[in-house]
Amino acid sequence: MQQVTEIRWHARGGQGAVTAAKMTAEVALSQDKYFQAFPEYGPERSGAPIVAFTRISDEPIQIYSAIEHPDYVLVLDPTLLDTVDVTAGTGEGAVVIINSEEKAAALAARPEMAGKSVYTVPATRIALETIKRAIPNTPLIGALAKVSGIFPLEGVLDEVKTSLGKKFSDEVVNANLDAVRRGFEEVSGQ
Amino acid sequence: MSRKAMTGNGAIAIALKQVEPDVMSAYPITPQTEIAQNYAQFVADGAVKTEYIAVESEHSAMSAAIGSAAAGARTITATSSQGFALMWEMLFIAASLRLPITMPVITRALSGPINIHCDHSDSMGGRDCGWVQLYGEDAQEGYDNAIQAFRIAEHMDVRLPVMTMIDGFIISGAIGPLDVLEDEQVKQFVGPYKAIHPLLDVDNPVTVGAFDSLGGWYFEHKVTQNMAMAKAMDVIGGVGREYGQLTGREYSHFKTHHIEDAEIVLVAIGSAAGNVKTMVDKLRDHDVKVGMMKVRTFRPFPAAQIAAALSGAKIIGVMDRSDSFGALGGPLFMEIRSAMFELGARPQIYNFIYGLGGRDIFPDDIEGAVRLLEKAAAGEKITQKRYYLNVREVSLDGQA
C-alpha cells in the first residue's frame, strides 16, 4: 500500500481552513508530491465548525473518501476543543497541533489527548501581529512544516511568495511570509 | 504540459477554454457548477471569443444549445443534478437531430429528499437519451474526456452529442494534481469545426425539427441513431489512442487492474474505482485473488469487450452509485449481467449499491463486499444479489 500522509483541519467558517488545506496542497505540488485537498461539503456558515482534509503522498492518490484516521489534526480555533471531537478516529501517536496561547502540556492533559503528540502555536496572535487580521491559517502551515517535516520551510515560503505574489502587494506577501516563519519557529510541544 | 493544483470543476473549465467553442449556453444558478461560472469569467475577461448565452433554466440551456448547434456553431453547455433532469426532454432532441454538442456533467443526486451531493442518479437516468456517455475517475480524466468529447461527437461516423461525467464534490470540488496541455496542442487535437447542413447556410436551406407522422421516418431515425452509437465504439477507441500519443495517457472503454488471475472482480465507475483499486492492492498483499475493472464508456456499452475481459472471473461484484427501483439491480449491474449472459460458463454476479446522496464509501465498506464475495467463491450458497454498502438499517414500517 502506498504511504499517504492524512491531515484533518478543524476550524470555524471564516478562519481559512479550506484555504489552508488548499495552500498545503499547492506546497505539495511545488515539492513534486501528489496531493488532495477537499472540504467536508455542506452549507458554509461563518463561525460554524467546519472540517477540511489534505492528503499528501509521493505516489498518485486514488482514494477519495473522507479521512477517517488522520495522522495530523490541525485545530484553528481552540474553542472547538470543547464542542467538537477533534481527535475522532486518530490512532496512537497522532499529532494534534492547536492554535492556542496555552502550553502544549496543559492541553495534552485533556483526556481525549491521551496517547497523542500535542503541539500548540499562538497562531491568532501571530496573525494579528503580522497580517493584522485574525486568520490563523498561515502560521499553522508553518507549524505543520516544522512538526511533520513533510516539506521544508523554504518550500512553504516559496509557495506563499508565488501564490500571493500574483494578487497582493509586497507588504501583504511579506506579512504572510513572517506569519509562516513565526508559526514554524513558535510551535512547541512534546 | 504543466502541472497545476485544480478542482475537478476548474480542470474541466480549462479544457473547455482551450477548445474555445463558438457558443456556450448555460443556466448560471444552482444546481449549476463552477464550470459555467469559470467559463463566464473567461468570456468576461476576453480570454475566449465564445458567445456566452445565460438562459433562464436548464431546459432553455439545452434548447439554446440545440439551436446554436443546428445553426452551425460548435456548442457546449454544462449541468448537474436537477438541472440535468430539467433538460431531459431536450436531451433526446439533441441526440435525434444528431447535433455534436458536448456537455460535462457533474454527477449529483436527484431530489427528494433535497440533496445536493454526489451520486449517479442524474446521468444514469439519462443513459437512454441517445448521448454518448464517458465517466471519469478524477479531475485529470474529467479534463481529458472533456477534450476527447469534441473529437468523438464531431466525427463524421458519429455526429452524436457526448456527455462526460465526474463525481460531484468528491472530484468536482476537491483539489488534485492536473497536467494541462498547451492551448495550441488542444486546439490542434480537436481541429476545426465542420457543421453539417447548418441553418445559417441560407443558400442551402434545410428544415430542422419537423413533424414526422405515422407514415414518416421516426422509426428509421431511431435505428440510425443506434448505428451511429455502434460506430462511436470504434471512434472512442481511436480518439483515446491518439490522445495517448499526445499526452502519454491512453484511454479505452475500460481499465483493468490485477484481473488476469483474479477469482473475484469488482467493477466500478467514477471516483469509487480509485477507492476499489486501493483496496485491491491492499488485499493482494494478503494474497486475496481480487481484481477490478473501471468502466469509462457506458454509452455505447462495450458489452462484448467487457464480457471477454471478465470471462476468467468466478465471482463479480458490480458497484452502482444509483439504484433502479424495482429492477434487478443498479444500471451498471444490469449491463454487466446482461453482457455476461453470452458466456458459456457464467460467473456469479452481485450488486453493491453505495454512495447515494453523497454517502461516503470507505475502504472498509469495499473490503466488506470482497469478504462477502469470498464466501461465494468458496462455494457458499448466497441468494441475495443486491446489497447496500454503508447504509443504516431501515424498514417500511418507519422503524429505523
PDB file of all heavy atoms in Angstrom, chain A residues 90-112:
ATOM      1  N   THR A  90      -8.425   9.184  15.409  1.00  0.00           N
ATOM      2  CA  THR A  90      -6.957   9.219  15.402  1.00  0.00           C
ATOM      3  C   THR A  90      -6.400   8.056  16.209  1.00  0.00           C
ATOM      4  O   THR A  90      -6.970   7.639  17.214  1.00  0.00           O
ATOM      5  CB  THR A  90      -6.412  10.533  16.000  1.00  0.00           C
ATOM      6  OG1 THR A  90      -6.941  10.684  17.330  1.00  0.00           O
ATOM      7  CG2 THR A  90      -6.796  11.723  15.160  1.00  0.00           C
ATOM      8  N   GLY A  91      -5.264   7.563  15.766  1.00  0.00           N
ATOM      9  CA  GLY A  91      -4.622   6.454  16.458  1.00  0.00           C
ATOM     10  C   GLY A  91      -3.579   6.946  17.449  1.00  0.00           C
ATOM     11  O   GLY A  91      -3.375   8.153  17.625  1.00  0.00           O
ATOM     12  N   GLU A  92      -2.945   5.979  18.075  1.00  0.00           N
ATOM     13  CA  GLU A  92      -1.839   6.250  18.998  1.00  0.00           C
ATOM     14  C   GLU A  92      -0.745   7.018  18.245  1.00  0.00           C
ATOM     15  O   GLU A  92      -0.406   6.674  17.116  1.00  0.00           O
ATOM     16  CB  GLU A  92      -1.297   4.900  19.501  1.00  0.00           C
ATOM     17  CG  GLU A  92      -0.423   4.962  20.708  1.00  0.00           C
ATOM     18  CD  GLU A  92      -1.234   5.109  22.011  1.00  0.00           C
ATOM     19  OE1 GLU A  92      -2.488   5.106  21.983  1.00  0.00           O
ATOM     20  OE2 GLU A  92      -0.587   5.237  23.038  1.00  0.00           O
ATOM     21  N   GLY A  93      -0.258   8.086  18.855  1.00  0.00           N
ATOM     22  CA  GLY A  93       0.860   8.819  18.246  1.00  0.00           C
ATOM     23  C   GLY A  93       0.445   9.840  17.206  1.00  0.00           C
ATOM     24  O   GLY A  93       1.297  10.505  16.611  1.00  0.00           O
ATOM     25  N   ALA A  94      -0.865   9.989  16.969  1.00  0.00           N
ATOM     26  CA  ALA A  94      -1.304  11.019  16.030  1.00  0.00           C
ATOM     27  C   ALA A  94      -0.880  12.387  16.566  1.00  0.00           C
ATOM     28  O   ALA A  94      -0.794  12.596  17.775  1.00  0.00           O
ATOM     29  CB  ALA A  94      -2.819  10.960  15.860  1.00  0.00           C
ATOM     30  N   VAL A  95      -0.629  13.304  15.665  1.00  0.00           N
ATOM     31  CA  VAL A  95      -0.144  14.629  16.056  1.00  0.00           C
ATOM     32  C   VAL A  95      -1.301  15.624  16.005  1.00  0.00           C
ATOM     33  O   VAL A  95      -2.030  15.674  15.017  1.00  0.00           O
ATOM     34  CB  VAL A  95       0.986  15.086  15.108  1.00  0.00           C
ATOM     35  CG1 VAL A  95       1.394  16.515  15.414  1.00  0.00           C
ATOM     36  CG2 VAL A  95       2.170  14.141  15.217  1.00  0.00           C
ATOM     37  N   VAL A  96      -1.471  16.369  17.109  1.00  0.00           N
ATOM     38  CA  VAL A  96      -2.506  17.399  17.155  1.00  0.00           C
ATOM     39  C   VAL A  96      -1.819  18.756  17.347  1.00  0.00           C
ATOM     40  O   VAL A  96      -1.081  18.942  18.313  1.00  0.00           O
ATOM     41  CB  VAL A  96      -3.493  17.154  18.320  1.00  0.00           C
ATOM     42  CG1 VAL A  96      -4.640  18.166  18.272  1.00  0.00           C
ATOM     43  CG2 VAL A  96      -4.048  15.729  18.279  1.00  0.00           C
ATOM     44  N   ILE A  97      -2.032  19.650  16.406  1.00  0.00           N
ATOM     45  CA  ILE A  97      -1.437  20.989  16.501  1.00  0.00           C
ATOM     46  C   ILE A  97      -2.571  21.988  16.698  1.00  0.00           C
ATOM     47  O   ILE A  97      -3.491  22.067  15.877  1.00  0.00           O
ATOM     48  CB  ILE A  97      -0.632  21.337  15.234  1.00  0.00           C
ATOM     49  CG1 ILE A  97       0.395  20.234  14.930  1.00  0.00           C
ATOM     50  CG2 ILE A  97       0.058  22.687  15.405  1.00  0.00           C
ATOM     51  CD1 ILE A  97       1.139  20.431  13.605  1.00  0.00           C
ATOM     52  N   ILE A  98      -2.518  22.715  17.825  1.00  0.00           N
ATOM     53  CA  ILE A  98      -3.642  23.571  18.205  1.00  0.00           C
ATOM     54  C   ILE A  98      -3.206  25.035  18.229  1.00  0.00           C
ATOM     55  O   ILE A  98      -2.140  25.366  18.774  1.00  0.00           O
ATOM     56  CB  ILE A  98      -4.173  23.162  19.606  1.00  0.00           C
ATOM     57  CG1 ILE A  98      -4.551  21.664  19.600  1.00  0.00           C
ATOM     58  CG2 ILE A  98      -5.371  24.022  20.012  1.00  0.00           C
ATOM     59  CD1 ILE A  98      -4.634  21.053  20.995  1.00  0.00           C
ATOM     60  N   ASN A  99      -4.032  25.872  17.654  1.00  0.00           N
ATOM     61  CA  ASN A  99      -3.822  27.315  17.758  1.00  0.00           C
ATOM     62  C   ASN A  99      -4.232  27.737  19.171  1.00  0.00           C
ATOM     63  O   ASN A  99      -5.423  27.804  19.480  1.00  0.00           O
ATOM     64  CB  ASN A  99      -4.675  28.024  16.707  1.00  0.00           C
ATOM     65  CG  ASN A  99      -4.752  29.519  16.964  1.00  0.00           C
ATOM     66  OD1 ASN A  99      -3.882  30.089  17.642  1.00  0.00           O
ATOM     67  ND2 ASN A  99      -5.783  30.155  16.418  1.00  0.00           N
ATOM     68  N   SER A 100      -3.250  27.991  20.016  1.00  0.00           N
ATOM     69  CA  SER A 100      -3.578  28.322  21.415  1.00  0.00           C
ATOM     70  C   SER A 100      -2.413  29.054  22.067  1.00  0.00           C
ATOM     71  O   SER A 100      -1.255  28.858  21.709  1.00  0.00           O
ATOM     72  CB  SER A 100      -3.872  27.025  22.181  1.00  0.00           C
ATOM     73  OG  SER A 100      -3.993  27.299  23.557  1.00  0.00           O
ATOM     74  N   GLU A 101      -2.770  29.904  23.051  1.00  0.00           N
ATOM     75  CA  GLU A 101      -1.743  30.587  23.848  1.00  0.00           C
ATOM     76  C   GLU A 101      -1.242  29.674  24.971  1.00  0.00           C
ATOM     77  O   GLU A 101      -0.267  29.981  25.647  1.00  0.00           O
ATOM     78  CB  GLU A 101      -2.320  31.873  24.464  1.00  0.00           C
ATOM     79  CG  GLU A 101      -2.640  32.962  23.449  1.00  0.00           C
ATOM     80  CD  GLU A 101      -1.377  33.664  22.931  1.00  0.00           C
ATOM     81  OE1 GLU A 101      -0.318  33.574  23.581  1.00  0.00           O
ATOM     82  OE2 GLU A 101      -1.476  34.301  21.849  1.00  0.00           O
ATOM     83  N   GLU A 102      -1.957  28.581  25.180  1.00  0.00           N
ATOM     84  CA  GLU A 102      -1.576  27.702  26.293  1.00  0.00           C
ATOM     85  C   GLU A 102      -0.351  26.861  25.954  1.00  0.00           C
ATOM     86  O   GLU A 102      -0.044  26.640  24.787  1.00  0.00           O
ATOM     87  CB  GLU A 102      -2.756  26.771  26.630  1.00  0.00           C
ATOM     88  CG  GLU A 102      -3.921  27.521  27.250  1.00  0.00           C
ATOM     89  CD  GLU A 102      -4.796  26.599  28.072  1.00  0.00           C
ATOM     90  OE1 GLU A 102      -4.250  25.905  28.943  1.00  0.00           O
ATOM     91  OE2 GLU A 102      -6.012  26.578  27.816  1.00  0.00           O
ATOM     92  N   LYS A 103       0.295  26.373  27.000  1.00  0.00           N
ATOM     93  CA  LYS A 103       1.408  25.438  26.794  1.00  0.00           C
ATOM     94  C   LYS A 103       0.841  24.105  26.301  1.00  0.00           C
ATOM     95  O   LYS A 103      -0.252  23.682  26.708  1.00  0.00           O
ATOM     96  CB  LYS A 103       2.140  25.201  28.124  1.00  0.00           C
ATOM     97  CG  LYS A 103       2.931  26.409  28.622  1.00  0.00           C
ATOM     98  CD  LYS A 103       4.419  26.138  28.483  1.00  0.00           C
ATOM     99  CE  LYS A 103       5.277  27.298  28.964  1.00  0.00           C
ATOM    100  NZ  LYS A 103       5.304  28.442  28.035  1.00  0.00           N
ATOM    101  N   ALA A 104       1.582  23.429  25.465  1.00  0.00           N
ATOM    102  CA  ALA A 104       1.107  22.153  24.923  1.00  0.00           C
ATOM    103  C   ALA A 104       0.791  21.161  26.032  1.00  0.00           C
ATOM    104  O   ALA A 104      -0.202  20.421  25.963  1.00  0.00           O
ATOM    105  CB  ALA A 104       2.147  21.568  23.970  1.00  0.00           C
ATOM    106  N   ALA A 105       1.619  21.163  27.084  1.00  0.00           N
ATOM    107  CA  ALA A 105       1.434  20.196  28.169  1.00  0.00           C
ATOM    108  C   ALA A 105       0.055  20.355  28.817  1.00  0.00           C
ATOM    109  O   ALA A 105      -0.581  19.367  29.200  1.00  0.00           O
ATOM    110  CB  ALA A 105       2.531  20.353  29.207  1.00  0.00           C
ATOM    111  N   ALA A 106      -0.414  21.611  28.920  1.00  0.00           N
ATOM    112  CA  ALA A 106      -1.715  21.862  29.543  1.00  0.00           C
ATOM    113  C   ALA A 106      -2.831  21.215  28.721  1.00  0.00           C
ATOM    114  O   ALA A 106      -3.747  20.604  29.275  1.00  0.00           O
ATOM    115  CB  ALA A 106      -1.948  23.366  29.681  1.00  0.00           C
ATOM    116  N   LEU A 107      -2.769  21.334  27.395  1.00  0.00           N
ATOM    117  CA  LEU A 107      -3.813  20.758  26.548  1.00  0.00           C
ATOM    118  C   LEU A 107      -3.632  19.246  26.399  1.00  0.00           C
ATOM    119  O   LEU A 107      -4.618  18.509  26.249  1.00  0.00           O
ATOM    120  CB  LEU A 107      -3.813  21.432  25.176  1.00  0.00           C
ATOM    121  CG  LEU A 107      -4.186  22.927  25.201  1.00  0.00           C
ATOM    122  CD1 LEU A 107      -4.164  23.507  23.796  1.00  0.00           C
ATOM    123  CD2 LEU A 107      -5.559  23.146  25.828  1.00  0.00           C
ATOM    124  N   ALA A 108      -2.385  18.800  26.477  1.00  0.00           N
ATOM    125  CA  ALA A 108      -2.125  17.356  26.376  1.00  0.00           C
ATOM    126  C   ALA A 108      -2.731  16.606  27.553  1.00  0.00           C
ATOM    127  O   ALA A 108      -2.974  15.401  27.473  1.00  0.00           O
ATOM    128  CB  ALA A 108      -0.630  17.096  26.294  1.00  0.00           C
ATOM    129  N   ALA A 109      -3.008  17.340  28.660  1.00  0.00           N
ATOM    130  CA  ALA A 109      -3.581  16.705  29.842  1.00  0.00           C
ATOM    131  C   ALA A 109      -5.061  16.398  29.667  1.00  0.00           C
ATOM    132  O   ALA A 109      -5.652  15.668  30.476  1.00  0.00           O
ATOM    133  CB  ALA A 109      -3.368  17.608  31.056  1.00  0.00           C
ATOM    134  N   ARG A 110      -5.692  16.966  28.627  1.00  0.00           N
ATOM    135  CA  ARG A 110      -7.111  16.677  28.385  1.00  0.00           C
ATOM    136  C   ARG A 110      -7.269  15.186  28.081  1.00  0.00           C
ATOM    137  O   ARG A 110      -6.427  14.597  27.377  1.00  0.00           O
ATOM    138  CB  ARG A 110      -7.636  17.512  27.210  1.00  0.00           C
ATOM    139  CG  ARG A 110      -7.645  19.011  27.462  1.00  0.00           C
ATOM    140  CD  ARG A 110      -7.962  19.773  26.177  1.00  0.00           C
ATOM    141  NE  ARG A 110      -9.308  19.482  25.710  1.00  0.00           N
ATOM    142  CZ  ARG A 110     -10.377  20.257  25.976  1.00  0.00           C
ATOM    143  NH1 ARG A 110     -10.228  21.362  26.689  1.00  0.00           N
ATOM    144  NH2 ARG A 110     -11.564  19.930  25.523  1.00  0.00           N
ATOM    145  N   PRO A 111      -8.341  14.568  28.576  1.00  0.00           N
ATOM    146  CA  PRO A 111      -8.463  13.118  28.416  1.00  0.00           C
ATOM    147  C   PRO A 111      -8.399  12.635  26.966  1.00  0.00           C
ATOM    148  O   PRO A 111      -7.801  11.601  26.690  1.00  0.00           O
ATOM    149  CB  PRO A 111      -9.825  12.795  29.045  1.00  0.00           C
ATOM    150  CG  PRO A 111     -10.457  14.087  29.414  1.00  0.00           C
ATOM    151  CD  PRO A 111      -9.417  15.141  29.403  1.00  0.00           C
ATOM    152  N   GLU A 112      -9.014  13.411  26.035  1.00  0.00           N
ATOM    153  CA  GLU A 112      -9.057  12.916  24.647  1.00  0.00           C
ATOM    154  C   GLU A 112      -7.673  12.984  23.989  1.00  0.00           C
ATOM    155  O   GLU A 112      -7.475  12.403  22.916  1.00  0.00           O
ATOM    156  CB  GLU A 112     -10.097  13.694  23.820  1.00  0.00           C
ATOM    157  CG  GLU A 112      -9.717  15.100  23.390  1.00  0.00           C
ATOM    158  CD  GLU A 112     -10.044  16.170  24.440  1.00  0.00           C
ATOM    159  OE1 GLU A 112     -10.252  15.823  25.619  1.00  0.00           O
ATOM    160  OE2 GLU A 112     -10.090  17.357  24.063  1.00  0.00           O
TER     161      GLU A 112
END
